[in-house]
Structures are given as C-alpha cells and as structure tokens.
Amino acid sequence: MISMIEQYRKLMAGFAEAAAGPTNAQYEEYEQFRQKMIAGWAQLDSSERSGVIVELLEIHDANFWFLGELKCFVAVLCKRDFRFPLEMAVRAVKAMGRWPFGAPYQHVFGAIEGLDLVPELREELLQLRSAVNRMRIGNVEAMDWHQRINLLLGETPTIGESARGSWLKKVLADSIGNAQWAALLEHCGEMSGSVASKKWSVTAKDLIGRLERQEFLSRSMEWLDMGPTMEDRDVTVPEPDASYQKGFVWCVAIDGDGQMASHLGDFAVGCYRKITGLGAVSQKVGNASIQALAAMPGLVPVAQLSRLAGSVKYDMGRRLIEKSLNEAASRNGLSRDALEAMSVPKLGLDANGVRIERGESWEGYLMATAEGGLLEWYQAGKLVKKAPTEGKELKQAKKELDGLLDAQRFRLEGMLLSRSEMSGVQLRELYLEHPVVGVHARRLIWELDGVPVIAWQGQMIEVSGAVRPLLPEARVKLWHPVEWDVATVLSWRCWFEDHPVRQPFKQAHREVYLLTEAERETRTFSRRFAAHIVKQHPFAALCRERGWTYKLMGDFDSHNNAVRVLPQWGLEAVLEMDYGNPKHQPAVGILMEARTGNLRFQRNREAVCLEDTPKGVLTEVMRDVDLFIGVSRIGNDPYYGMESSAMNADYWSSYAFGDLTEAALVRREVLERILPKLSIGKVCQIEGRYLHVRGKLHEYKIHLGSGNVLMGGSGRYLCIVQNASDVAGRVMLPFERDGVMETILSKAILLAEDGKIRDETILKQLRA
C-alpha cells in the first residue's frame, strides 16, 4: 500500500505539470489507480488504514491538483465509523499543521472525535490552533478549523466568541446588558434543525414572554430587515451564525404576530439570494424561514409563501413551499388557488389601488400599476425625489407590493394549468376588485358560465362588446385558447390589438400545442423537441423559474432529466437530457452544453399515453419546453455564428435561421398586425421566416424565431447584441414578457436607420 502512495504522488505531480490541465489519459490512469487502492483498502485492518491516511497527509504537497484530489480521496477513506488510534491521531494533527488551507480537515477531525485527549494530542491541537489563529481574520475556512479544534479540546465558546457574521455581531451589540435577551439568544443558538421541536418551542415561548412585548416586535422587525448578512453582499452566513438565525426566525413564528410575516418573507428572500461562485446566502436559514412562516397562524403568512413560490429557485426550498401551501389549504378546507387568493393582503390600498400617507409637510402616494409599485412624494404640492424620514413604512409597503405583483402574475398564469374554478362572487371580490390582484386580473379573459369575457370600463363584456352580468352563483375559470375554436381565438387577439390593454402574460396570443400524427404513432413520447443543443446554465435557470426540477450535468455523474411534477393531475412530465458535444466541454466540472431528448408523461413511474393527457396539460408542458429550448439553444447566440469553425456550427445554422416554432408563428402573426401602425412599417415586410427591413445602406432579414440577422442579397451574418429593454415602452404589444419579440423590434428600428448607427462593432461588419 505504501508503494501505491508513491504512485499516487507521481500521478498528482503529473497533474501539476500539465499546463492546460490533466489529459483524459491521465484521468483514466488516476481513476484505475483510485479504484485499485479503494479495493485494497477493504483488506487492511484499522491500524494499517490509519497509516495510509497519515502517509498521504505527511506528503503535504501544495500543488493544486494534489490538494483537490486528496480532499476527495480522504473523504472516501474516512468513513463515518473510522477512528484513528491515538498515536496516529497525533501524527495526523501534526501533519495538518504543515498543510495550506484546503486540506481535508473536516474528515480528519471527524476521525479524531471521541478519542481521549492525551497530553500529546492536546499539545498538537494547541499548536495547530495557534497556527490557525494567525490566519483567522477574513478566512472562513480558518474559522471553521478554529471552531472544530475548540470542540476537540472540549472548549465551549460563548455567543460572542462564536459570532462571525455581521448580523449576529449587530444583534449581540444591540442586546448588551439585557439578561432576558441574552437568555433568548443563547436558546436560539441551540437550534439544530430547520424545524423547532416541541420542547424547544415551549422554552422559547417562555423566554419571549419575559420580554416587553413591543420591544420584542420592534427589535425583531429591525433584525429581520437587516437581512441575513446585512451589507455584506458577497458572503454566506457562517455556520455558527446560522443556528442563531434559525432559532430567531422560529421565535418570531412562535410569537405569531401577523405583521411580522412580510419581514420574515423578506429575510427568507435574502437567504436564498445567490452569490456567484458560492451559491445561496444560506439555504439552511431559508428553509427554516419557510417552515417558520408555515407554522404561523392565519392567512397573512400564506401570502408570503405564495410570493416565495415565485422567487425561490432552490429545489429543497420549492418543495418546502409546495408542501406548506398544500397543508395550509387542507387545514382550511380550501383548494390551493382559493387559499392563495384569500391570503393576498391589500397593503392599505383603496379600491383604486392607491394608498396615501400624510405627514406635517409631505404626502406619499403608493400606487399599484401594471409595471409594479409606483411611489411618489410631494412637498408643498410639488413632486420631490427624496423620501421623508417618516416614510419608512410606505417604502416597506412599496417593496412588498412589487413582490406581490410578481407573485400574483406567476400564480394567475399557473391557473391556466390547474384549470381551477370559482364562483362569480369570488372572481369579483378576490380578483377583479382586489387592489393588487386586480391589476392583472382585469386584463385577462375569464370563462363565465362557458362564455369568454373581460373586464372593460367597469363591466364584463364579450368579444363582440355585449355586456354580460357577473352573477354571484356563476361558475368561472381562466380562459385558455386550447379549449376554443380558431375563430374565437383570433377574435380575441384582434380585440387586444385594437384596445389599449396589455396582458400580464400571453393568454389570447398563447401558443397552442396539439398532438401530431407522429406523436400519435409513438403513443407514449414526443420527439418534437429532441436533438436540440442548449446552453446548460440558462436552461437550468428557466427550468427553476417555471417550476421544473433539473440538476446541472457534469463529468462526475450520469444523465439528469428535467422533471415537472403536476400533483393536481397526478402526473409527471419528463424531458430527457443527454450530454452535448464532448469536444465542446471542459475537462472537469459542469458541462457547458446539453442535448435534449424525448418528452414523456408518467404516473407512478409508468408511461402515460399522450392522447390520454389532458389537452391543457399537454399544451402548457410543451410550451414550457419550447420556451426552454427557444431561449437557451446555441442557435440564439449571436456570437456563435461568427465562428464558422465552431463546434455544432451546422446545428447553429439550421436553427438560427430554421423553421419557426409555435412561439415564432404567434410572433409573426402579431407583427403582421402591428407593423403597419409603426413608423418603420413602410420599410418592413414579413416573408416566410423573416422580417425584411430596408435600411439606408443595406437590406436585412431578421429571423422571427431567433432574432438573428442576415444582410441583403449576400446572406452574410450580422452580429448585433441589442438592448431591447426600452422597446416595450415605445411599442404597444398586446402582452408582456416576450424578449425575442422586443429584440426583433429593437433590431428593426436600429437597422431601418442604419445610417445613424455609431456602434463600431456593427459598422465594421456593415463596411466589410
């Protein structure tokens, strides 16, 4: 085994010498060696195993590859039941002192726990701690070493000693000299899991009761509003601090005051905020916050859970929210949609969606609009930019209003899939007349006793303009075009194009996906979306946003499929995924590209025939998949087309300018209607897959699927990376959130006046 250690060292030295990283051959050799060593490990006794690990640690080679691989390797060798003999423990700790940070200290310390603290071991631990202390400040890993060494030495730190993050330090500073707060915070630090036990909760309730009520609420509000890391935007919550934060959010939940729900919701949002390269600020505290909200009484916390459902992207958090909302609905004897509708707060807004606050010399107006919350301040009748110091409560309400408007848009669009029904009185009170939900609901088509209607000028009207009374006992659901004939759908599309109403999401213009003959023949799967090459990271982000589960694939695991669970239908939608082109992937880590496969439905892991899947479910799932591919496929990357030698260049060409998808066909139909109304209409014409634009210098073709541009008769590719964010304000589209449509219009407006272009990157291509 010792000879194998030398072989291991030589392999790692080879890794370090490879300037461009280890080759595939080196990795194969290492993997064969690794499997051989693990197999031999099983034949060694405890003493021999300890010797192998210590020999590895005593190499203390600081090269990057050795350090990374050693960490993984020792993790495999140090199983949970493994313990060093005392003599080897002393040698292991001593060897650790010569290591740079990044060594496998967690596994080594785990193999020392429970041993007698003999003088030799204690001395080496003290020496190691002394070395660590010199590097503690600003080094999170060093802090973890220090904490583990303290525990091995049997030293229990005080709250102040264990505080690392800015949040806990501020909380401790605020409560200095107050024995009641000190007792409560100490109890918070004893919180281990994400859910408070009954015994822990009883003690917490008693400790909260010893504090003055208003002081507890004001302090809690202040500490929650600081966020989990205060102003430190690029750090995660340190592990010791996380226990105190989990305990604290549960104290807020146990107290049960409804006004704290929005502050707790904001704290949870802060916990799930993603830091580039590090992940969430703290999933553990975020998960605890969700379960604390779920434990609070009343419907106010439900609104916060509904809001989080649209913003939390981490799988565990999403599952906890789903579970909490379903349990709350069952507890109240309501459907999920009814529960969420009843729980949306009005935030003090009147029937017109306006809230007015007045001070001695100022007035504040908060308004719910289609674009979000609008907050204006006036002094002496004049609009001012600076908010008064007394306007903190209105600013908090504006922040909450923005989150609620986004959450309600997301929830309403979900009703196209759930197909839940309600009464006429519920539609009026919980949707149309609600100051928050009504901002979106009044711009949607509703199916009223089987007749599609919309709220217009205070009445419910049909597409013909005929008024239809909204009776209390009427049966209502959100209208979906898949259930209606083409003539009715086209009539409603024309209505929106002729009226100044912009839908919060595509409804009248929503893409509809019907089964093809090929899909009827395959019966249980569809190949409609197969063989596309997508960029993995944006694909995964879109999956999370639309409620799908997908884990990024790397060279370290097998295939991961994208899955959408549909509990209300007892179904699961599965989009099979495979590796992309292996030549276009990094040597290690997450793959940059992936390839799509078949789409299928299953119930209890058994395939479901596509023809047996409800039409609404089929079209909504296929629309999601089309969206994922349409946005993340490499055919949309304008830079990809500039390199004819790039991997997958043939695929890029075929899809960057290929046949139009359902979404692109709808886009073409809308453009045909709105172009004559625009200033560029005279120089634009739609032919087949392209929008043709006649500029002053050249003619151009903009593909209606990808938004990519070809120049005139030469067909030369023109790379334009255009900011489309301001197009929505200049062009009245009948729906929100079609980024490709806005990009196409933005490029058309630019190219129609190509003589005024000043961007050198574009000009060089035009002159070539």
Side-chain angles (χ1 to χ4, degrees):
M1 186 62 77
I2 299 301
S3 63
M4 294 187 74
I5 292 173
E6 287 302 316
Q7 185 183 351
Y8 182 80
R9 188 172 183 174
K10 289 178 182 178
L11 280 170
M12 292 301 103
F15 274 32
E17 291 169 4
T23 64
N24 289 336
Q26 283 177 307
Y27 264 110
E28 288 175 10
E29 183 182 2
Y30 168 69
E31 187 58 32
Q32 291 173 4
F33 162 79
R34 184 172 176 269
Q35 295 300 329
K36 185 178 179 182
M37 194 165 184
I38 291 173
W41 179 257
Q43 302 172 17
L44 301 179
D45 60 27
S46 178
S47 178
E48 291 172 321
R49 292 183 182 189
S50 301
V52 171
I53 295 175
V54 170
E55 287 284 344
L56 287 171
L57 292 173
E58 288 179 341
I59 294 173
H60 57 83
D61 189 331
N63 88 64
F64 171 79
W65 291 107
F66 182 78
L67 190 62
E69 291 301 324
L70 179 75
K71 210 167 187 176
C72 299
F73 198 47
V74 172
V76 173
L77 301 183
C78 287
K79 299 297 184 183
R80 288 187 178 181
D81 57 349
F82 176 78
R83 289 291 181 273
F84 280 116
L86 275 172
E87 180 185 351
M88 290 300 181
V90 173
R91 284 180 60 188
V93 174
K94 187 172 184 178
M96 293 287 284
R98 295 195 290 264
W99 269 92
F101 291 111
Y105 71 92
Q106 182 178 356
H107 308 288
V108 173
F109 286 162
I112 294 173
E113 286 178 353
L115 296 180
D116 292 336
L117 195 60
V118 297
E120 295 87 348
L121 180 57
R122 179 179 180 81
E123 179 61 28
E124 291 300 338
L125 286 170
L126 288 170
Q127 290 288 338
L128 181 56
R129 187 172 69 176
S130 178
V132 169
N133 280 341
R134 291 192 290 271
M135 300 184 67
R136 274 185 71 187
I137 298 175
N139 191 314
V140 174
E141 192 170 16
M143 293 176 179
D144 284 335
W145 280 46
H146 190 276
Q147 179 74 4
R148 291 296 296 273
I149 293 169
N150 283 346
L151 294 173
L152 289 170
L153 289 169
E155 298 177 4
T156 304
T158 64
I159 297 177
E161 289 175 341
S162 63
R164 300 181 189 169
S166 54
W167 184 89
L168 185 54
K169 289 177 180 177
K170 177 67 166 65
V171 168
L172 293 173
D174 288 347
S175 54
I176 287 175
N178 190 315
Q180 287 83 9
W181 272 114
L184 180 61
L185 291 171
E186 187 174 351
H187 184 61
C188 289
E190 296 172 4
M191 183 83 176
S192 55
S194 295
V195 180
S197 67
K198 187 175 181 179
K199 181 180 178 181
W200 190 96
S201 300
V202 169
T203 304
K205 189 170 185 178
D206 176 61
L207 292 170
I208 293 168
R210 299 178 190 179
L211 294 165
E212 196 274 319
R213 171 86 177 144
Q214 194 54 44
E215 182 190 1
F216 174 77
L217 292 177
S218 61
R219 283 290 190 193
S220 297
M221 192 178 296
E222 178 187 352
W223 293 344
L224 288 174
D225 290 348
M226 293 190 310
T229 57
M230 296 183 64
E231 300 300 322
D232 299 331
R233 302 285 297 174
D234 298 322
V235 299
T236 58
V237 175
E239 192 61 36
D241 293 35
S243 295
Y244 291 96
Q245 290 186 356
K246 288 188 294 182
F248 181 70
V249 298
W250 268 100
C251 285
V252 172
I254 289 166
D255 178 72
D257 193 296
Q259 68 173 316
M260 301 303 300
S262 64
H263 300 276
L264 187 49
D266 288 342
F267 195 78
V269 170
C271 291
Y272 286 113
R273 180 177 58 82
K274 185 177 181 180
I275 303 172
T276 304
L278 294 176
V281 170
S282 178
Q283 285 196 64
K284 291 180 180 179
V285 181
N287 294 345
S289 300
I290 288 171
Q291 296 188 86
L293 277 168
M296 293 179 72
L299 294 177
V300 176
V302 174
Q304 295 302 317
L305 289 170
S306 181
R307 167 193 163 201
L308 290 169
S311 61
V312 174
K313 309 304 181 187
Y314 291 91
D315 292 342
M316 178 57 74
R318 295 181 74 95
R319 287 199 294 270
L320 287 173
I321 293 168
E322 281 292 309
K323 179 183 177 184
S324 299
L325 286 172
N326 290 333
E327 288 177 351
S330 177
R331 198 164 54 240
N332 289 277
L334 299 168
S335 70
R336 167 78 175 272
D337 286 327
L339 173 78
E340 293 190 64
M342 292 173 64
S343 66
V344 183
K346 296 183 179 181
L347 302 178
L349 300 169
D350 62 20
N352 297 314
V354 180
R355 174 176 167 180
I356 305 174
E357 297 283 341
R358 291 184 173 90
E360 289 185 6
S361 61
W362 59 271
E363 290 181 339
Y365 291 79
L366 176 62
M367 292 158 278
T369 72
E371 288 72 36
L374 176 63
L375 181 57
E376 294 181 345
W377 304 100
Y378 290 84
Q379 287 183 347
K382 294 183 179 180
L383 181 65
V384 295
K385 293 183 178 180
K386 189 176 180 181
T389 54
E390 304 95 324
K392 183 178 180 181
E393 185 177 340
L394 202 57
K395 288 173 67 177
Q396 172 65 27
K398 195 267 184 189
K399 182 179 179 182
E400 189 172 353
L401 177 59
D402 287 335
L404 280 174
L405 286 168
D406 280 341
Q408 294 312 304
R409 179 193 286 112
F410 180 81
R411 182 176 70 84
L412 285 166
E413 189 173 12
M415 291 171 66
L416 290 170
L417 179 61
S418 67
R419 311 306 295 134
S420 58
E421 291 191 355
M422 70 189 80
S423 66
V425 69
Q426 287 175 318
L427 176 65
R428 182 183 299 281
E429 294 178 357
L430 301 179
Y431 290 85
L432 300 179
E433 295 180 356
H434 194 285
V436 178
V437 185
V439 171
H440 303 315
R442 291 189 291 271
R443 296 182 288 149
L444 294 171
I445 307 168
W446 298 89
E447 197 173 318
L448 179 60
D449 286 332
V451 178
V453 296
I454 192 170
W456 177 249
Q457 296 180 345
Q459 296 176 310
M460 303 302 290
I461 66 166
E462 300 177 27
V463 71
S464 63
V467 177
R468 192 168 187 87
L470 179 57
L471 302 176
E473 66 275 11
R475 300 311 301 164
V476 185
K477 64 180 178 180
L478 199 58
W479 180 85
H480 198 304
V482 77
E483 298 169 351
W484 290 82
D485 59 89
V486 174
T488 302
V489 174
L490 290 177
S491 296
W492 276 109
R493 289 181 178 179
C494 291
W495 190 93
F496 280 101
E497 289 155 16
D498 294 337
H499 291 76
V501 178
R502 193 177 191 209
Q503 294 203 282
F505 49 81
K506 282 186 181 179
Q507 186 191 25
H509 293 82
R510 202 169 189 83
E511 304 83 5
V512 172
Y513 299 79
L514 303 175
L515 284 180
T516 63
E517 285 303 316
E519 287 164 341
R520 288 190 174 90
E521 289 178 8
T522 56
R523 295 189 68 251
T524 59
F525 65 89
S526 167
R527 290 197 54 78
R528 190 185 306 201
F529 306 104
H532 286 279
I533 302 170
V534 298
K535 293 185 175 182
Q536 239 203 141
H537 289 82
F539 177 85
L542 284 165
C543 283
R544 290 192 298 270
E545 184 177 317
R546 300 293 298 177
W548 290 63
T549 299
Y550 176 71
K551 293 183 179 179
L552 293 169
M553 291 190 291
D555 62 343
F556 44 78
D557 63 356
S558 56
H559 301 167
N560 299 325
N561 295 330
V563 179
R564 173 74 188 270
V565 179
L566 305 164
Q568 63 270 57
W569 299 101
L571 293 170
E572 282 187 348
V574 181
L575 176 64
E576 297 171 354
M577 301 296 293
D578 201 347
Y579 299 135
N581 192 323
K583 295 181 180 179
H584 199 236
Q585 312 294 4
V588 293
I590 300 297
L591 305 179
M592 300 300 294
E593 296 168 2
R595 189 182 297 268
T596 60
N598 296 338
L599 173 66
R600 52 187 168 83
F601 292 86
Q602 60 187 33
R603 180 180 285 115
N604 298 325
R605 299 191 176 183
E606 300 217 352
V608 174
C609 183
L610 295 177
E611 290 190 278
D612 294 335
T613 306
K615 285 195 300 184
V617 174
L618 184 75
T619 190
E620 285 300 303
V621 167
M622 286 191 167
R623 183 180 184 273
D624 274 356
V625 175
D626 200 1
L627 171 69
F628 302 160
I629 295 170
V631 173
S632 64
R633 68 186 178 191
I634 63 171
N636 286 347
D637 186 346
Y639 292 116
Y640 214 101
M642 299 184 73
E643 299 181 28
S644 59
S645 61
M647 296 295 175
N648 304 316
D650 291 341
Y651 171 86
W652 185 90
S653 298
S654 65
Y655 284 100
F657 302 103
D659 293 338
L660 301 183
T661 63
E662 293 294 333
L665 291 172
V666 170
R667 200 174 293 131
R668 182 177 67 183
E669 181 187 323
V670 174
L671 282 170
E672 286 173 343
R673 289 196 177 92
I674 67 171
L675 274 175
K677 304 175 185 178
L678 303 180
S679 60
I680 60 171
K682 294 181 181 179
V683 296
C684 294
Q685 182 179 355
I686 293 177
E687 292 181 10
R689 296 171 293 188
Y690 297 95
L691 170 62
H692 292 252
V693 182
R694 295 191 306 277
K696 306 290 185 184
L697 305 177
H698 298 278
E699 293 188 1
Y700 309 92
K701 297 193 301 182
I702 305 176
H703 191 260
L704 297 174
S706 64
N708 288 321
V709 183
L710 295 175
M711 289 177 61
S714 67
R716 187 156 46 89
Y717 174 64
L718 177 62
C719 178
I720 300 177
V721 182
Q722 183 76 354
N723 182 6
S725 59
D726 61 338
V727 171
R730 290 185 286 160
V731 179
M732 181 62 187
L733 298 175
F735 46 79
E736 297 177 9
R737 299 194 168 195
D738 185 343
V740 178
M741 171 76 90
E742 293 178 0
T743 296
I744 290 170
L745 286 171
S746 178
K747 290 181 178 180
I749 293 169
L750 176 76
L751 295 172
E753 296 289 341
D754 54 1
K756 298 180 180 179
I757 293 175
R758 295 293 177 265
D759 187 317
E760 280 299 323
T761 305
I762 300 174
L763 288 174
K764 285 179 182 178
Q765 298 177 76
L766 295 179
R767 295 167 185 153

